[in-house]
Amino acid sequence: MNPSTKDPAAPQARPTLEVPAQRELARLCVQTGLLLMQHGAESALVESVVRRLGVALGADSVEVAIMANAITVTLLCGSKSTTTVRRNEDRGINMHMVTEVQRAMLRVEGGELDLAGYRARIEELRPLRYPRWLLSVMIGLSCASFAALAGGDLPSCGLVLLSSSVAMYVRLLLASFHFNPLVTFFVAAFVATSISVQGVLHQIGGTPKIAMASCVLLLVPGFPLINAVSDMVKGYVNTGLSRATMATLLAASTCAGIMLSMRIWNVWGWL
Amino acid sequence: MNLLIDLLRDMALASVPAVGFALVFHVPARVLKYCALGGAFGHGLRFLLLKTDMPIEWATLIAAGVVSFWGVWCAQRLRAHPKVFTVASMIPMIPGVPFFTTLLALIEIQHRGYSPELLATAVASGIKTLFIVTSLAVGLALPGLLLYRRTPVV
């Protein structure tokens, strides 16, 4: 196409992508959106990153439809459009992946990466995983801090440290065997409560009930809850509702684990 | 003086779960200090606001909003979305105990049968959870709602 033959009043002419290049770009865009969704980014971020990436790499416009467990991307280039859908399966929250995908997109926008460079960058990304023992100890300390904030004394906090660390280790171990998160949370809540109940049975510390309440706080689905409300505030009501439902189910599963443990040990720590 | 010591204790204790949960969310190691600062600052601010007899949902909204504005400022230097570290900073303020209390009270209604006390516990804790979580999320969204209406933050 020769730009000089075009109407000079027309907006600046951009070369239209050929169909194979358009398909390639659509695949990259949907792959980007999928990576963000799988690792716990909120819907507004997914949509904006995919849109900006597609436009930066030559599409006229990019339309993104995000569903609870799928993503659709349509690329418009001149008179042609390409649509592609991917199924989303949750891979667990990983902010390292979200950061790296967004940084790659920013480098494309800044002109540092072209399509091939971006694809290479995305394909070499591997999610950061912290070691299991470190997560267990830190979560134990976190729940102990919650107990201290709620007014627990030192022996109770120590009990929480132990029970939450063990529960977190069990949770991560079960997750590594690809158990459904509902099962994982149920078992972890049972383990945590069964250990902290010993504080009531053997009079460890003066605040055993605070220990029982704090030791299961590692199972509060905080990220999905905040994402749920954020999505709904920004107009993505369907993904928001689905996140809120999943968070409530996880909490219900946790409560079932707590209840089972309290019945077996015949101790009432809550209510 | 006592208030200052209580405040420092509150901030120190809040920074631990912020970092602990940031690890679970696999926040990159270099960003963890922002999670700790945000967690300590947010929870500390809410602690002070609660001392002035402000209702907890308003105190939470203000604390989350302030942390979020600070998060936008940091995010533009880090070239990463602020949610990457501000959500972990909100974790100490998540109403976990009321959330579980709601569901446990409902399970107890099924087990023991209906009683006004159990239903009152369930409804009161449930509404408290809903309001605090909404305050946290709306507080985090404040920069986007007020300043960055049509432009992305990063």
Side-chain angles (χ1 to χ4, degrees), chain A residues 47-209:
Chain A
E47 176 159 4
S48 102
V49 169
V50 173
R51 204 176 269 259
R52 288 165 69 184
L53 176 74
V55 171
L57 287 175
D60 291 339
S61 80
V62 182
E63 302 301 324
V64 187
I66 300 168
M67 286 154 276
N69 40 23
I71 177 168
T72 310
V73 173
T74 291
L75 229 61
L76 295 166
C77 303
S79 58
K80 297 261 191 317
S81 79
T82 310
T83 299
T84 179
V85 183
R86 291 292 181 281
R87 176 90 167 79
N88 168 38
E89 54 181 44
D90 197 45
R91 297 247 174 108
I93 296 158
N94 196 315
M95 287 300 120
H96 164 255
M97 286 297 276
V98 173
T99 311
E100 291 303 323
V101 170
Q102 193 184 12
R103 281 187 185 155
M105 182 278 289
L106 289 173
R107 286 174 68 188
V108 171
E109 263 192 350
E112 294 169 47
L113 280 180
D114 57 2
L115 192 143
Y118 178 79
R119 186 177 46 214
R121 183 82 195 92
I122 288 295
E123 278 170 1
E124 75 183 15
L125 281 182
R126 290 290 169 269
L128 169 75
R129 295 259 173 245
Y130 287 112
R132 210 178 282 161
W133 65 266
L134 177 67
L135 292 182
S136 306
V137 171
M138 281 307 292
I139 286 300
L141 285 171
S142 303
C143 291
S145 301
F146 282 134
L149 281 173
D153 58 10
L154 205 58
S156 297
C157 291
L159 190 61
V160 172
L161 173 62
L162 175 72
S163 48
S164 296
S165 301
V166 174
M168 188 65 191
Y169 196 84
V170 168
R171 175 184 151 186
L172 293 171
L173 193 67
L174 290 179
S176 73
F177 294 133
H178 304 289
F179 277 98
N180 186 312
L182 294 171
V183 178
T184 310
F185 275 55
F186 175 81
V187 176
F190 179 80
V191 170
T193 307
S194 296
I195 298 175
S196 64
V197 145
Q198 307 308 319
V200 180
L201 293 175
H202 301 288
Q203 277 94 44
I204 303 168
T207 50
K209 292 206 166 178

Side-chain angles (χ1 to χ4, degrees), chain A residues 7-20:
Chain A
D7 177 7
Q12 63 182 76
R14 284 215 313 187
T16 307
L17 287 179
E18 296 302 321
V19 172

Side-chain angles (χ1 to χ4, degrees), chain B residues 61-106:
Chain B
L61 181 72
I62 293 172
V66 170
V67 170
S68 186
F69 274 105
W70 167 79
V72 168
W73 186 78
C74 295
Q76 288 167 347
R77 273 144 200 82
L78 278 169
R79 285 164 69 78
H81 195 264
K83 279 276 166 79
V84 165
F85 54 94
T86 47
V87 174
S89 302
M90 295 299 113
I91 291 294
M93 291 194 270
I94 291 260
V97 173
F99 192 17
F100 287 158
T101 305
T102 311
L103 295 166
L104 287 168
L106 291 176

